[in-house]
Amino acid sequence: MIVKIFKTIGPRTCFTSIFLIISTVLFSFLLEKNVDQLLEKWDDITTKIFLMISFITMITLLEIQIKGRKFDGIHLISFPTIYLFFPNVYDLKTISILQAILLTYGLYVFIKIGHSKKTEKRILDLSLIISIIVQFNYVFAIFYLLPLFIFFRRGLKEIKNLLALLLPVLIIPYTLNSLSVILPSKTFNLINPPVQIKLLNIQLLSNADAVWLMILLLTLVICLLQLPRGSRKFSYPELFSGFLYMTFWLLFSIVFGLLGLQTASDRWFISFIPVAYFFGGFIEKIKSDSLKNILFTILFLGIVIFKLFDHGIISLELPFRN
C-alpha cells in the first residue's frame, strides 16, 4: 500500500518518492517534447529532478518541526502527484523557482513569529524574504499584510519590532540598485521589471489550464469551508497559523493567475505550492488507508490518461472505423 510507505520517513519512503519524482518529470517531458530530444535535453531534465527533490526535502524537513503532524512523509507523495496536474511545467523560470522557495520558507518564519517570544528576529526574516521577492514583481508587496497581521494579532508595540519590519523594506531596494554597477545588464533587468496584466480568457484556455483552474477553485472551496471553524479545528496553534498563511497564498495565486500579473513567467506558477500543500493536508485527514490508496490510484491513472488523450497519444477512435 503506497500510503503506508509515506506515513513515516525512512529509506523506503525516500527511494519511493525519488522514483515518483523521476517518473513524473520524465512523463511530463516526453509529453511536451520529442522523444529524440531526451538525450539532448538531459541536463534540463536532471536539473528539474534535482530541484524537485531539493524542494520537497526542504519543505518536509521544515514541516516535521511543526507540532501536530501525524503523516511525516505526506509531501513526499503529494508534490509529485500535483506536479502531474501542473500545466506548462517546462516554462518555469529561475526567478519563479526562487520566489516559490522564499515564500515556502516564509511560511515557517510566519509560524515562528506567532508562537515564539523573540519576535523581532523572525519579523526581520519575514520582511527580508518579502522584500527580496518584491524586487522581482512588486505585486508580491501584498504579502506585507502577513507581518502586519501578526502585529495586530499579538499587539506588538515595541519599536524594535517595527524597525525589524521596515529595515528590509528600505535597505533591499537600495542594495540591489547599488549592485547595478557590477551586475550584468541581463541580470539587472530582472529587478523591478514591468508587470504585464493579461486577463484570463476562458475561451482560449487549454485543456490542461482548465483542469488546473478547476483544481484551484476546488482547493479554495475546501479552504473556505474550514476557515470559519478557525483554530478550533486544529489541535495545535502552529497548524492553524500555517493554514492561514497558505490560504492567503492560495487566494493571492488565484488572483495572480486570473489577472495574469506576471513579469516573465507562467500565470499559474505561484499556485503550485499551496495546491500541493493543501492536497497533502486533505490526504492526511482521511482516516482510512484504503480510501487514501484508492484516491491516489484514481488521481494518478486519471491524470495520466487525460494527458495522453490531451496530447493525442491515445484516442477513442476504433481501429475498424472508416
Side-chain angles (χ1 to χ4, degrees), residues 26-35 303-317:
L26 284 175
F27 178 72
S28 299
F29 175 84
L30 293 175
L31 287 177
E32 299 290 338
K33 309 292 181 180
N34 194 301
V35 178
I303 191 59
V304 168
I305 294 173
F306 165 78
K307 289 206 166 187
L308 291 175
F309 272 110
D310 191 41
H311 286 79
I313 297 175
I314 60 175
S315 68
L316 293 175
E317 294 182 2

Side-chain angles (χ1 to χ4, degrees), residues 130-131 133-135 137-148 248 252:
I130 298 171
S131 297
I133 296 173
V134 167
Q135 302 312 303
N137 190 328
Y138 63 78
V139 175
F140 284 80
I142 195 172
F143 276 87
Y144 283 119
L145 291 175
L146 292 172
L148 290 176
F248 183 88
F252 171 79

Side-chain angles (χ1 to χ4, degrees), residues 201-206 209:
N201 189 334
I202 301 295
Q203 296 179 346
L204 299 179
L205 276 183
S206 66
D209 284 322

